[in-house]
Amino acid sequence: MKTLTQKEIEEFKQLRWFIMHHNKNCSICGKEFDFNENSYFGHLDDGSYAYTCEKCSQQMTDAEVYTNSHRHSYSIPVSNAKLWRYMDLAKFLSLLEYNSLFFTRIDHFQDPFEGALGIKKNEELWSTKEQEWKKKWIEIRSKSNNVCLCDSELQLLAEQEFKQYRKNIKEWRTKNYVNCWHQSDCESEAMWKLYTRDCNQGIAIQTTFERLYQALPPVPQPSFGMVNYINFNEYNNGGSEKNIHPFEAVWYKRESFAHEKEFRIIIEDIEESDFYERNKKIRVDLNLLIENIYISPKADKWFAELVKDTIKNRYKLRLNVKHSELNEQPFF
């Protein structure tokens, strides 16, 4: 694999950032692209990127045509959206020691619904409907190739395709890794309690979407987005029009987790292997990543001083450390 120069890395990041924010609307007139509508990517006279509708593409010097054939189920926050990661001291020290964010393989999360397509009781109905779709498309393909198959042959092929389809879904869950953040304009007392084992020694790092994006390496290429919170009983049940695409199921969680307001980064292990690690560490630029460090509102003064000294003296980082704003005292 070719090693990118720093200039190439920066250009790649800028391009990816631009496309991520403009792949649904024309960057010139703001028109929203329809499904399967052609869109155009290229440069304007001043060298800046443009992603446009057909009409506005005439303003570009090198327009290339694309087709909007897929709509992602996730949304991305604004550039300056605040993101928080709450942790105990051990995980914070791991972040500093390895200069890395910790990613967990999808099938190793505690939530049994992580990456799920629906509720178990609806699986047979969903499977039947999926096989009906596959049978339909197999028949269309066979006729286009001047092959006539009887109903039993179509059904057998549909079952075989569906079996391979389910296998691919399960393999995909073992190749993709997730890193999670809480999106909020302010601290969350609930997150302090949920994600720090000892509230007396909890730490939160606060960043923004753009800082996080810039801190990550360009490879492996990550996907970013906000989690959707749903009632799984309404999806993939064989009758409802509400469907979860198997390879986007990781962007859905149960409604009971809506308080997490979760923002995710997902990376795929593209190496061909029979064994995939349960966790991965992805190196980041901590100075770019961290905007502020917050010490738990329950922490003693000595703990706050220890964290500050460790950051400054051991890791030689100049980071802004604050005691939690929830630590402020009221007056009456």
Side-chain angles (χ1 to χ4, degrees):
M1 183 181 294
K2 176 188 174 184
T3 301
L4 298 176
T5 65
Q6 189 59 39
K7 182 180 178 181
E8 288 174 327
I9 289 173
E10 292 306 315
E11 288 177 349
F12 182 84
K13 283 187 175 183
Q14 290 174 19
L15 172 61
R16 189 173 65 184
W17 180 257
F18 179 86
I19 292 176
M20 187 164 49
H21 283 82
H22 295 93
N23 66 350
K24 294 182 180 180
N25 301 79
C26 173
S27 60
I28 295 178
C29 72
K31 177 187 182 297
E32 184 175 353
F33 299 122
D34 294 326
F35 184 73
N36 279 338
E37 177 184 3
N38 284 343
S39 55
Y40 299 80
F41 175 75
H43 298 81
L44 300 176
D45 289 337
D46 62 2
S48 60
Y49 297 123
Y51 193 78
T52 72
C53 61
E54 184 173 4
K55 181 179 178 181
C56 293
S57 68
Q58 299 172 17
Q59 301 181 44
M60 285 191 282
T61 59
D62 56 350
E64 294 183 25
V65 65
Y66 290 84
T67 301
N68 285 275
S69 59
H70 181 65
R71 291 287 189 181
H72 291 299
S73 56
Y74 53 85
S75 60
I76 60 173
V78 296
S79 301
N80 63 350
K82 286 187 176 182
L83 302 173
W84 305 75
R85 190 162 170 83
Y86 296 82
M87 62 193 75
D88 55 31
L89 180 61
K91 287 186 177 180
F92 178 68
L93 292 176
S94 175
L95 171 71
L96 299 183
E97 185 68 26
Y98 297 108
N99 289 278
S100 299
L101 288 178
F102 188 79
F103 285 71
T104 300
R105 208 171 78 186
I106 291 173
D107 59 333
H108 283 282
F109 274 83
Q110 291 183 351
D111 180 7
F113 272 74
E114 192 64 57
L117 297 178
I119 294 178
K120 183 67 176 177
K121 66 180 182 181
N122 294 328
E123 181 178 10
E124 187 174 347
L125 293 172
W126 172 79
S127 300
T128 300
K129 187 174 182 180
E130 286 291 318
Q131 289 184 54
E132 287 174 356
W133 278 105
K134 292 191 180 301
K135 183 178 177 181
K136 175 184 174 181
W137 289 112
I138 289 170
E139 184 176 15
I140 292 172
R141 289 202 306 265
S142 64
K143 286 182 178 179
S144 67
N145 293 322
N146 296 318
V147 176
C148 185
L149 300 173
C150 66
D151 190 69
S152 60
E153 290 173 322
L154 290 171
Q155 182 62 38
L156 179 61
L157 289 173
E159 290 174 359
Q160 291 174 347
E161 272 204 21
F162 180 73
K163 184 177 179 180
Q164 183 61 45
Y165 179 57
R166 294 300 299 272
K167 181 182 178 182
N168 292 341
I169 293 170
K170 291 178 180 179
E171 287 182 353
W172 184 87
R173 296 179 75 244
T174 67
K175 298 178 182 179
N176 283 264
Y177 297 77
V178 181
N179 178 263
C180 308
W181 296 73
H182 172 68
Q183 195 279 305
S184 177
D185 290 335
C186 60
E187 284 182 70
S188 168
E189 185 170 1
M191 293 298 107
W192 278 119
K193 293 177 179 178
L194 282 171
Y195 290 99
T196 57
R197 296 177 185 175
D198 182 354
C199 285
N200 294 320
Q201 296 187 8
I203 296 169
I205 59 173
Q206 178 261 308
T207 187
T208 64
F209 177 30
E210 185 166 12
R211 290 180 75 106
L212 175 57
Y213 173 85
Q214 296 294 347
L216 284 161
V219 179
Q221 186 167 329
S223 297
F224 305 91
M226 300 297 300
V227 167
N228 300 290
Y229 297 96
I230 63 170
N231 179 351
F232 270 89
N233 199 43
E234 297 177 355
Y235 286 74
N236 289 0
N237 56 21
S240 171
E241 293 302 316
K242 296 181 178 180
N243 297 301
I244 300 173
H245 190 283
F247 303 114
E248 297 225 330
V250 70
W251 298 104
Y252 292 87
K253 293 185 73 170
R254 288 175 288 176
E255 293 173 311
S256 54
F257 290 90
H259 60 278
E260 293 182 345
K261 297 170 64 177
E262 187 175 327
F263 170 89
R264 292 190 152 185
I265 315 167
I266 301 177
I267 60 170
E268 182 176 2
D269 189 340
I270 59 175
E271 296 180 5
E272 293 295 329
S273 174
D274 294 327
F275 173 78
Y276 293 94
E277 301 170 295
R278 294 180 56 174
N279 304 292
K280 284 188 179 294
K281 295 192 290 289
I282 302 298
R283 289 185 65 84
V284 292
D285 184 330
L286 293 180
N287 288 308
L288 268 178
L289 173 69
I290 299 174
E291 185 167 53
N292 293 295
I293 295 173
Y294 286 82
I295 306 298
S296 167
K298 301 291 185 182
D300 292 328
K301 186 177 179 180
W302 68 264
F303 179 76
E305 293 302 318
L306 174 63
V307 172
K308 290 179 183 178
D309 289 343
T310 301
I311 292 170
K312 179 181 177 181
N313 298 326
R314 177 174 174 80
Y315 295 101
K316 312 300 180 184
L317 295 170
R318 294 185 178 182
L319 302 174
N320 190 28
V321 182
K322 301 181 178 181
H323 215 129
S324 167
E325 294 177 357
L326 300 178
N327 200 42
E328 298 292 337
Q329 297 298 311
F331 75 87
F332 303 93

